[in-house]
Amino acid sequence: QSALTQPRSVSGSPGQSVTISCTGTSSDVGGYNRVSWYQQHPGRVPKLMIFDVIKRPSGVPDRFAGSKSGNTASLTISGLQAEDEADYYCCSHAGNFYVFGTGTMVTVL
Amino acid sequence: VQLVQSGAEVTKPGASVTVSCKASGYTFSDYFIHWVRQAPGQGLQWMAMFNPTRDYTDYAQEFQGRLTLTSDTSTSTLYMELNSLRSEDTAIYYCARERSYDHWFGPWGQGTLVTVSS
């Protein structure tokens, strides 16, 4: 049950786009369309941003988009804004358990 | 909809700790409850899931034998007991709700800091 692999950090200027990858295996990311993404600001509770690979909960801006190819899921943030600066975690269903990614810090330059 | 967790705990290596998670605003049996922890400065780690309808629990392999989830349906409260604590168990422990088989978590409890120190 190894953690999914994410880049430690990504950065972009306001208005730019950034993409965070989340690499697993055929037993988790590749085997299920059940990848979710969570945003966590320092000292705050994680917030659901994407579920079922591509779906956005109500209230999440359409600047956030999810995708998946093979064993790698991705979260793209378009039109980067200052409030997007946070840690982001992917999570995948993997049978009888779940596995989170290692986490990515997004910095808005 | 709200998940309210018990307060911070300070405990010693080798001891046990119990954290509670009280659910309100929805039908308790319609949703699973997951436990996720986050060590200081570290990422999120899934620990276990409780299905109140079937009284069934799945545990992450790392915690099997050391972690026990129980519930009190009369008060819509979940309890997480972690035994044989070590310093590496120092973390914020979160409970989070999943609508049955939706495979995503929300809302989350506010978190409970457990500190293991001699």
Side-chain angles (χ1 to χ4, degrees):
Chain A
Q1 300 176 13
S2 300
L4 308 176
T5 301
Q6 297 180 229
R8 181 175 289 273
S9 63
V10 298
S11 61
S13 299
Q16 289 187 329
S17 294
V18 295
T19 296
I20 304 167
S21 61
C22 168
T23 301
T25 69
S26 59
S27 296
D28 38 63
V29 175
Y32 304 88
N33 286 323
R34 297 294 194 173
V35 176
S36 52
W37 289 89
Y38 300 86
Q39 176 192 65
Q40 187 180 35
H41 288 105
R44 304 298 297 273
V45 175
K47 174 188 174 184
L48 178 70
M49 304 300 286
I50 294 286
F51 66 98
D52 291 352
V53 179
I54 60 172
K55 299 177 182 177
R56 273 189 317 275
S58 61
V60 172
D62 59 6
R63 303 184 290 104
F64 292 84
S67 62
K68 191 184 88 166
S69 177
N71 296 336
T72 298
S74 298
L75 174 70
T76 298
I77 310 173
S78 306
L80 203 60
Q81 298 185 5
E83 61 260 36
D84 300 333
E85 185 162 291
D87 293 326
Y88 292 81
Y89 296 91
C90 59
C91 181
S92 176
H93 178 57
N96 288 342
F97 61 94
Y98 293 79
V99 58
F100 280 95
T102 49
T104 299
M105 179 185 302
V106 171
T107 302
V108 182
L109 301 172
Chain B
V1 175
Q2 212 173 6
L3 299 177
V4 178
Q5 300 182 220
S6 51
E9 301 270 3
V10 178
T11 187
K12 295 188 181 303
S16 300
V17 69
T18 299
V19 177
S20 66
C21 172
K22 181 173 175 58
S24 62
Y26 69 94
T27 302
F28 182 67
S29 59
D30 287 349
Y31 293 81
F32 303 160
I33 293 290
H34 294 258
W35 289 88
V36 175
R37 76 176 185 180
Q38 186 170 35
Q42 302 300 309
L44 302 172
Q45 181 182 23
W46 183 83
M47 299 177 68
M49 178 276 288
F50 181 78
N51 178 340
T53 299
R54 295 172 56 198
D55 196 21
Y56 174 81
T57 304
D58 275 321
Y59 297 101
Q61 190 173 4
E62 174 179 344
F63 299 101
Q64 294 212 4
R66 204 162 69 93
L67 177 63
T68 303
L69 302 189
T70 57
S71 71
D72 180 346
T73 54
S74 68
T75 61
S76 299
T77 302
L78 259 292
Y79 298 93
M80 180 210 69
E81 180 183 16
L82 188 61
N83 302 317
S84 303
L85 290 167
R86 31 199 187 245
S87 58
E88 309 89 87
D89 294 317
T90 294
I92 297 174
Y93 290 76
Y94 295 102
C95 59
R97 190 187 77 165
E98 175 201 354
R99 190 174 63 179
S100 303
Y101 305 109
D102 269 0
H103 302 294
W104 50 265
F105 313 134
W108 296 54
Q110 83 275 21
T112 297
L113 175 62
V114 173
T115 303
V116 182
S117 174
S118 56

